[in-house]
Amino acid sequence: MKTKPMNLRMRLTASAALLAALAATAVAPAAFAAEAEAAADAADAGEVETVVITATKRETNLQDTPIAISVVGVQQLEAAHVTSFLDIAGQLPSLRVSTFESRQSALTVGIRGIVPGDANQPAREQGVGIYLDGVYLGKQQGLNASMLDLERVEVLRGPQGTLFGRNTEGGAVSLVTRQPSGEFGFRGTAGISNYNGHNVEGHLDFPEVMGFSVKLDAALQYHDATTENPMEGETGWNYLDRHGFKAAVRWRPVDVFEATYAYDTGHSETTPFLSQLVSYNPLNLPVSTAFPRPAGTISPLAPGVRVHTERQDRADIGVPQQPSIDEISGHTLNMSWDITPDLLLRSITAYREVAVQQYDNAGGPNRAPVFQPNAPAGNSARNFSRYSLSDMEQLQRSQEFQLVGNIGENFDFVVGLYFFNEKAWEEAATPSSLAYVGSNGDYVVRDPKTAGITRGFRSIDRGSFAHAKSAGLFVHTVWTPPILDENLKITLGGRYTSDEKDGKLYKVSNQPRNFTFDLKEERFDPTVTVAYDVTDDINFYATYATGYRAGGANSRSLTFAPFESEEVKSYEIGMKARFFDRMTLNVAAFSMDRTNSQIEFTLVAPDPVSGSNRNTVETVNAPGTTEIRGLEIESTIDVTDNLRLTLGYAYTDTSVPDAQNPFPASPACPACGTVQPVYIIYTPPNAASLAVDYTQPLSFADLKFHVDFAYAEGTQSFEQFAQKTDDSFIVNGRVALADWEVQEGKNITLSLWSRNLLDEEHIYRRSAENRSGTNAIGDYANFNEPRTFGAEVNFKF
């Protein structure tokens, strides 16, 4: 049954009920973490605050930790109105986040040129590890769900093969949420925005009772589609409706032991961004209306379909479309025991589930299949508007033990064991939802059962499952030798990993198949860092580290042929400095060599068994060494007590050896079977950001102004095509009357915000795969989200 959006009145009523339920007992003053208070006081005093991170499995000072790491704190998240993982990317030039295809239901995440093309499958892996409170999230799906009360986001740049292990070839992103405080307090947010949007959040802390502390979090966000669907009753593009809930219980029976159990769940309904036709016949092929169309020609555009080089707010043709549905949930048990003052034992146990029902009709008439005006009535060549449907489920269990301690004052260590078990399954179909009638561009909606859209009537394009197991043992040590005034620190670490993965492609083109794979791998990933404190405020470091992305098999292929893991060796030098208690400057230069690169090739190819054409993707381990070089600069400057600047810059240069296209040569694919150039995707050569924060104290509150700018140079978005996306320049802004104490212990903040303030538009994804061949039409592309703006009230009791 198709999901129907709830009307606005019902949604606002539900939002108010959610907020009221959490706030019902919030009658005592809120308690705020000591670290947050200290940071706020330091910021108010015009000093660069101390940022505590847990990237090395222990709490350390950001500026004193000799690794390339960026941190986005809660104040930055709030000022930039970050409400999803997709929003975070603009805050950090070195972190690249994009939709997979144009779907918000799955994200592609990259750091330092390590960006997976298509990890949206049971047997594919990411190149950047995403962690939620120390728990690895195994799939791209569900990453854009509600973010429940984040305290900070830690982005570790460069391979993290020792402390984090598999699939952290490019780095790791750690999402850290606020934990139960044990003191009574309530924080809430309610807001409205354009596109009939609204958002509500509530965070309720209960006082500690008999060693138990409880915290509840809930969030809801909604906005209508930003691109209109002309078909009555169908959902438009870039529609969003998500909500989430989390409950956490901390038990501290004695001072040396603590156990925290958390359950979180999220529900997300989204539609993709519209895939627009941005060029027609770029190769100047002869136009033919003959059927079948002669090779080397192109069909005319259907009447009513046009090329759009600017972002559309209404599609040319309406299509059947309902939101994709993501369901995520997880259980986490985090226990820690201070065995002695110098030795801590920590355990992280987790179970998580992801379930996705995908509905993607982004392309309409702008992608294959193309208009063929003289195809016979009733012929399948008249069908168009590919509806990408997928049902996917993933279950994962993980267990990690950490022994964290020190021997004397000069030797710190972490010893860990890690176990991970994952099962994933997917069935996908790609029926055409519309059919042309006659030769003048008229069309009808195909019966959903006949077309194969309705469950139980689908022609399954591919069906597969995969099972992965991983076990790791790691050691990480930091030694401060008693020389050079103890300013020298040497870090040595290593991780042994055993990976096993198997799977089966059991259906292709709706016919049973029996393609299987079985991969086993053992590896060791070392890390070595030498750091030297020139002064108390300036330190230099040099690091050698390795990492890898596990192998697998591509379920979009015709054979499910396995490919091996790719790995990277990284060499990095860096500096971290503080100046005058008002400025930080962090610089990192790196050189990475990647081998066994996993490269994807795409072609609409005939299935030799069924004879039908299907969108086929083959993944190969390309020979040679991919070279990735770069420079990253980050700085925070407190110009005055009231004015702060935050700057970032990332330069990335990539060189990928040519690779052989695995598809056989044919007139429809001149590049097939040849050695051709390939590219790293979603990695701009130059990217920069600047944030400006100004606070004007008033007698009763603070008036705060925030504006941030993000620039990124155009880059490839498909590994086998040279075509680049547009340069982008996004501006976000917020003005707030903050911390207005309306009653003793009760504060409110009123704010106005805007994302993409200048309503800039750019292509962030562009495909050239349909320039020639059977489905020749031109390039299709996806544009960024238009300007959004709104008003919010935040309150703390």
Side-chain angles (χ1 to χ4, degrees), residues 182-200:
E183 299 182 49
F184 208 97
F186 177 75
R187 292 172 291 111
T189 300
I192 57 173
S193 59
N194 58 336
Y195 297 105
N196 291 320
H198 60 274
N199 62 287
V200 178

PDB file of all heavy atoms in Angstrom, residues 182-200:
ATOM      1  N   GLY A 182      22.352  12.076  35.029  1.00  0.00           N
ATOM      2  CA  GLY A 182      22.011  11.797  36.417  1.00  0.00           C
ATOM      3  C   GLY A 182      21.431  12.977  37.146  1.00  0.00           C
ATOM      4  O   GLY A 182      21.167  12.896  38.348  1.00  0.00           O
ATOM      5  N   GLU A 183      21.188  14.080  36.460  1.00  0.00           N
ATOM      6  CA  GLU A 183      20.573  15.275  37.045  1.00  0.00           C
ATOM      7  C   GLU A 183      19.381  15.663  36.188  1.00  0.00           C
ATOM      8  O   GLU A 183      19.402  15.534  34.973  1.00  0.00           O
ATOM      9  CB  GLU A 183      21.579  16.412  37.115  1.00  0.00           C
ATOM     10  CG  GLU A 183      22.791  16.098  37.981  1.00  0.00           C
ATOM     11  CD  GLU A 183      23.734  17.286  38.059  1.00  0.00           C
ATOM     12  OE1 GLU A 183      23.253  18.403  38.332  1.00  0.00           O
ATOM     13  OE2 GLU A 183      24.939  17.104  37.841  1.00  0.00           O
ATOM     14  N   PHE A 184      18.363  16.168  36.856  1.00  0.00           N
ATOM     15  CA  PHE A 184      17.118  16.426  36.150  1.00  0.00           C
ATOM     16  C   PHE A 184      17.266  17.620  35.210  1.00  0.00           C
ATOM     17  O   PHE A 184      17.832  18.654  35.572  1.00  0.00           O
ATOM     18  CB  PHE A 184      15.999  16.711  37.153  1.00  0.00           C
ATOM     19  CG  PHE A 184      14.642  16.341  36.636  1.00  0.00           C
ATOM     20  CD1 PHE A 184      14.065  15.131  36.966  1.00  0.00           C
ATOM     21  CD2 PHE A 184      13.947  17.198  35.784  1.00  0.00           C
ATOM     22  CE1 PHE A 184      12.817  14.774  36.480  1.00  0.00           C
ATOM     23  CE2 PHE A 184      12.711  16.845  35.293  1.00  0.00           C
ATOM     24  CZ  PHE A 184      12.137  15.637  35.640  1.00  0.00           C
ATOM     25  N   GLY A 185      16.756  17.506  33.997  1.00  0.00           N
ATOM     26  CA  GLY A 185      16.790  18.607  33.055  1.00  0.00           C
ATOM     27  C   GLY A 185      16.054  18.268  31.776  1.00  0.00           C
ATOM     28  O   GLY A 185      15.869  17.098  31.444  1.00  0.00           O
ATOM     29  N   PHE A 186      15.644  19.320  31.080  1.00  0.00           N
ATOM     30  CA  PHE A 186      14.944  19.135  29.811  1.00  0.00           C
ATOM     31  C   PHE A 186      15.417  20.171  28.816  1.00  0.00           C
ATOM     32  O   PHE A 186      15.569  21.351  29.141  1.00  0.00           O
ATOM     33  CB  PHE A 186      13.434  19.254  29.998  1.00  0.00           C
ATOM     34  CG  PHE A 186      12.662  19.151  28.702  1.00  0.00           C
ATOM     35  CD1 PHE A 186      12.497  17.927  28.081  1.00  0.00           C
ATOM     36  CD2 PHE A 186      12.134  20.287  28.090  1.00  0.00           C
ATOM     37  CE1 PHE A 186      11.813  17.823  26.878  1.00  0.00           C
ATOM     38  CE2 PHE A 186      11.443  20.193  26.895  1.00  0.00           C
ATOM     39  CZ  PHE A 186      11.280  18.959  26.289  1.00  0.00           C
ATOM     40  N   ARG A 187      15.667  19.730  27.584  1.00  0.00           N
ATOM     41  CA  ARG A 187      15.970  20.614  26.461  1.00  0.00           C
ATOM     42  C   ARG A 187      15.013  20.285  25.328  1.00  0.00           C
ATOM     43  O   ARG A 187      14.814  19.110  25.010  1.00  0.00           O
ATOM     44  CB  ARG A 187      17.408  20.441  25.989  1.00  0.00           C
ATOM     45  CG  ARG A 187      18.460  20.908  26.978  1.00  0.00           C
ATOM     46  CD  ARG A 187      19.869  20.550  26.562  1.00  0.00           C
ATOM     47  NE  ARG A 187      20.111  19.119  26.628  1.00  0.00           N
ATOM     48  CZ  ARG A 187      20.300  18.349  25.580  1.00  0.00           C
ATOM     49  NH1 ARG A 187      20.264  18.856  24.355  1.00  0.00           N
ATOM     50  NH2 ARG A 187      20.526  17.062  25.719  1.00  0.00           N
ATOM     51  N   GLY A 188      14.430  21.300  24.753  1.00  0.00           N
ATOM     52  CA  GLY A 188      13.476  21.066  23.675  1.00  0.00           C
ATOM     53  C   GLY A 188      13.646  22.065  22.548  1.00  0.00           C
ATOM     54  O   GLY A 188      14.193  23.151  22.724  1.00  0.00           O
ATOM     55  N   THR A 189      13.196  21.683  21.362  1.00  0.00           N
ATOM     56  CA  THR A 189      13.249  22.527  20.168  1.00  0.00           C
ATOM     57  C   THR A 189      11.968  22.363  19.389  1.00  0.00           C
ATOM     58  O   THR A 189      11.461  21.240  19.238  1.00  0.00           O
ATOM     59  CB  THR A 189      14.441  22.141  19.261  1.00  0.00           C
ATOM     60  OG1 THR A 189      15.660  22.299  19.972  1.00  0.00           O
ATOM     61  CG2 THR A 189      14.480  22.999  18.007  1.00  0.00           C
ATOM     62  N   ALA A 190      11.429  23.460  18.896  1.00  0.00           N
ATOM     63  CA  ALA A 190      10.283  23.421  17.993  1.00  0.00           C
ATOM     64  C   ALA A 190      10.509  24.455  16.905  1.00  0.00           C
ATOM     65  O   ALA A 190      10.935  25.582  17.199  1.00  0.00           O
ATOM     66  CB  ALA A 190       8.978  23.699  18.734  1.00  0.00           C
ATOM     67  N   GLY A 191      10.264  24.080  15.654  1.00  0.00           N
ATOM     68  CA  GLY A 191      10.526  25.003  14.572  1.00  0.00           C
ATOM     69  C   GLY A 191       9.618  24.786  13.381  1.00  0.00           C
ATOM     70  O   GLY A 191       8.992  23.735  13.235  1.00  0.00           O
ATOM     71  N   ILE A 192       9.546  25.806  12.538  1.00  0.00           N
ATOM     72  CA  ILE A 192       8.818  25.739  11.280  1.00  0.00           C
ATOM     73  C   ILE A 192       9.759  26.216  10.176  1.00  0.00           C
ATOM     74  O   ILE A 192      10.721  26.951  10.431  1.00  0.00           O
ATOM     75  CB  ILE A 192       7.530  26.578  11.286  1.00  0.00           C
ATOM     76  CG1 ILE A 192       7.850  28.043  11.609  1.00  0.00           C
ATOM     77  CG2 ILE A 192       6.522  26.012  12.270  1.00  0.00           C
ATOM     78  CD1 ILE A 192       6.660  28.973  11.479  1.00  0.00           C
ATOM     79  N   SER A 193       9.482  25.789   8.932  1.00  0.00           N
ATOM     80  CA  SER A 193      10.342  26.173   7.821  1.00  0.00           C
ATOM     81  C   SER A 193       9.538  26.173   6.532  1.00  0.00           C
ATOM     82  O   SER A 193       8.367  25.764   6.507  1.00  0.00           O
ATOM     83  CB  SER A 193      11.530  25.206   7.705  1.00  0.00           C
ATOM     84  OG  SER A 193      11.086  23.878   7.512  1.00  0.00           O
ATOM     85  N   ASN A 194      10.165  26.659   5.461  1.00  0.00           N
ATOM     86  CA  ASN A 194       9.489  26.647   4.166  1.00  0.00           C
ATOM     87  C   ASN A 194       9.279  25.224   3.693  1.00  0.00           C
ATOM     88  O   ASN A 194       9.744  24.275   4.310  1.00  0.00           O
ATOM     89  CB  ASN A 194      10.259  27.483   3.140  1.00  0.00           C
ATOM     90  CG  ASN A 194      11.690  27.011   2.925  1.00  0.00           C
ATOM     91  OD1 ASN A 194      12.291  26.372   3.784  1.00  0.00           O
ATOM     92  ND2 ASN A 194      12.240  27.333   1.759  1.00  0.00           N
ATOM     93  N   TYR A 195       8.581  25.065   2.609  1.00  0.00           N
ATOM     94  CA  TYR A 195       8.135  23.767   2.102  1.00  0.00           C
ATOM     95  C   TYR A 195       7.296  23.026   3.154  1.00  0.00           C
ATOM     96  O   TYR A 195       7.388  21.809   3.306  1.00  0.00           O
ATOM     97  CB  TYR A 195       9.327  22.905   1.651  1.00  0.00           C
ATOM     98  CG  TYR A 195      10.093  23.515   0.506  1.00  0.00           C
ATOM     99  CD1 TYR A 195      11.332  24.112   0.720  1.00  0.00           C
ATOM    100  CD2 TYR A 195       9.566  23.526  -0.793  1.00  0.00           C
ATOM    101  CE1 TYR A 195      12.028  24.708  -0.332  1.00  0.00           C
ATOM    102  CE2 TYR A 195      10.267  24.106  -1.841  1.00  0.00           C
ATOM    103  CZ  TYR A 195      11.488  24.700  -1.605  1.00  0.00           C
ATOM    104  OH  TYR A 195      12.183  25.292  -2.656  1.00  0.00           O
ATOM    105  N   ASN A 196       6.482  23.806   3.886  1.00  0.00           N
ATOM    106  CA  ASN A 196       5.578  23.249   4.909  1.00  0.00           C
ATOM    107  C   ASN A 196       6.340  22.409   5.936  1.00  0.00           C
ATOM    108  O   ASN A 196       5.829  21.409   6.444  1.00  0.00           O
ATOM    109  CB  ASN A 196       4.473  22.392   4.265  1.00  0.00           C
ATOM    110  CG  ASN A 196       3.495  23.220   3.472  1.00  0.00           C
ATOM    111  OD1 ASN A 196       3.123  24.313   3.882  1.00  0.00           O
ATOM    112  ND2 ASN A 196       3.108  22.726   2.303  1.00  0.00           N
ATOM    113  N   GLY A 197       7.563  22.819   6.234  1.00  0.00           N
ATOM    114  CA  GLY A 197       8.398  22.041   7.125  1.00  0.00           C
ATOM    115  C   GLY A 197       8.177  22.356   8.586  1.00  0.00           C
ATOM    116  O   GLY A 197       7.750  23.456   8.963  1.00  0.00           O
ATOM    117  N   HIS A 198       8.472  21.381   9.436  1.00  0.00           N
ATOM    118  CA  HIS A 198       8.490  21.596  10.879  1.00  0.00           C
ATOM    119  C   HIS A 198       9.408  20.562  11.512  1.00  0.00           C
ATOM    120  O   HIS A 198       9.667  19.494  10.943  1.00  0.00           O
ATOM    121  CB  HIS A 198       7.087  21.519  11.482  1.00  0.00           C
ATOM    122  CG  HIS A 198       6.403  20.213  11.288  1.00  0.00           C
ATOM    123  ND1 HIS A 198       5.681  19.898  10.158  1.00  0.00           N
ATOM    124  CD2 HIS A 198       6.344  19.104  12.076  1.00  0.00           C
ATOM    125  CE1 HIS A 198       5.189  18.679  10.260  1.00  0.00           C
ATOM    126  NE2 HIS A 198       5.590  18.164  11.415  1.00  0.00           N
ATOM    127  N   ASN A 199       9.913  20.887  12.664  1.00  0.00           N
ATOM    128  CA  ASN A 199      10.788  19.975  13.393  1.00  0.00           C
ATOM    129  C   ASN A 199      10.562  20.143  14.889  1.00  0.00           C
ATOM    130  O   ASN A 199      10.260  21.239  15.373  1.00  0.00           O
ATOM    131  CB  ASN A 199      12.257  20.214  13.053  1.00  0.00           C
ATOM    132  CG  ASN A 199      12.731  21.607  13.428  1.00  0.00           C
ATOM    133  OD1 ASN A 199      12.362  22.594  12.766  1.00  0.00           O
ATOM    134  ND2 ASN A 199      13.553  21.719  14.458  1.00  0.00           N
ATOM    135  N   VAL A 200      10.678  19.043  15.602  1.00  0.00           N
ATOM    136  CA  VAL A 200      10.496  19.010  17.048  1.00  0.00           C
ATOM    137  C   VAL A 200      11.539  18.076  17.646  1.00  0.00           C
ATOM    138  O   VAL A 200      11.812  17.006  17.088  1.00  0.00           O
ATOM    139  CB  VAL A 200       9.076  18.521  17.436  1.00  0.00           C
ATOM    140  CG1 VAL A 200       8.930  18.450  18.952  1.00  0.00           C
ATOM    141  CG2 VAL A 200       8.013  19.418  16.845  1.00  0.00           C
TER     142      VAL A 200
END
